[in-house]
Amino acid sequence: MHAEKIEENDLVFLVFDNRSRWLLQVKSGESFHTHRGIIEHDEIIGSSFGSVIFSRPHESQGYKFFVLKPLPSDYVLYMGRKTQIIYPEDAGLILLYSGIGPGSVVIEAGTGSGALSCILGNFVRPDGHVYSYDIREKSLRRARKNVEMTRLQEVISIQEGDILTMDLDHANVDSVVLDMPQPWEAIEKVKKYLKLSGVLVSFSPTIEQVKKTTFSLRKHGFIEISSCELMKRMLQVKENATRPEVRMIGHTGYITFGRKIEDVKNPYRERKPRNEETIDMDGMPLREPREP
Ligand SMILES: C[S@@+](CC[C@H](N)C(=O)[O-])C[C@H]1O[C@@H](n2cnc3c(N)ncnc32)[C@H](O)[C@@H]1O
């Protein structure tokens, strides 16, 4: 397979070392200033992803920079952000357990900086679509820039809207993904937009939010409800000192899933469900515990 040539307006991932790395949209005639000299965009345009270029002036700087094709994880970690974003590990889990893929139609709220929107957009291509809503104009502006930079505007629509109060013109979408402060308040409304068997995903940083969301999913008849947390531990690889890194991101958030099911009454004798709910939202027991 031939190396992929870089064209004007392409997004590249410019790497100097572990700490100095940037997402760059290359434009003819422009320069990028780094602490290790200047990178001329024209030197990148026309080269291939995987090339090495040297900072100018070559005589006094001449440091090596690597030009890579950005991965979805690079979009997220190196794009401009105005809000807390979803980390690539969490996004990966969301994708696998929601089944979001090529052709999926997804509703997202809130958009935030558009980090998750870009990951979802990348995976629903070429004929799926992500409809993303946020109430804050500042977030929307940043998210639109990020979507344009990643050139995903054909598969992502970013709109101002309150998912809690607006009646959106959507039906039979494959998934709804919520990353907002009060996801439990949105469940009843967004259930209407989901197709049967569709997946609702909610990302929340605190256990209190998970609990309220789970209770709301149960109340509104969702099934297959589960919540989890992912922790990624990086390894330091050194001669005779290969071990986990000392520092890590200890917490990102909890991910809750639920699936929409047909709402039918049982015409037969209702079997008593096993009651897994033993406490209510205020922590009070729903039933007296059984005598051992
Ligand atoms: C943590 S950010 C989302 C980050 C996003 N997932 C990302 O990866 O960039 C939460 C966003 O939810 C938005 N939000 C809060 N309430 C909302 C509502 N009722 N409808 C839509 N968006 C809402 C906020 O304005 C904020 O931008």
Side-chain angles (χ1 to χ4, degrees), residues 83-86 108-116 133-136 139 161-164 179-181:
T83 58
Q84 185 57 261
I85 57 155
I86 287 215
E108 184 197 21
T111 315
S113 306
L116 183 59
Y133 297 90
D134 203 295
I135 46 175
R136 281 174 54 208
S139 301
D162 185 336
I163 200 86
L164 299 179
D179 178 7
M180 52 186 277

Side-chain angles (χ1 to χ4, degrees), residues 94-102 104 106 120 123-124 174-177 201:
I94 289 175
L95 285 168
L96 275 193
Y97 283 85
S98 64
I100 293 172
S104 298
V106 182
L120 298 175
F123 283 88
V124 303
D174 297 288
S175 283
V176 174
V177 181
V201 184

Side-chain angles (χ1 to χ4, degrees), residues 269-283:
R269 189 171 65 91
E270 188 83 60
R271 282 189 316 152
K272 240 184 172 178
R274 255 187 306 147
N275 195 353
E276 285 169 3
E277 292 172 45
T278 52
I279 52 168
D280 72 9
M281 285 175 70
D282 300 317

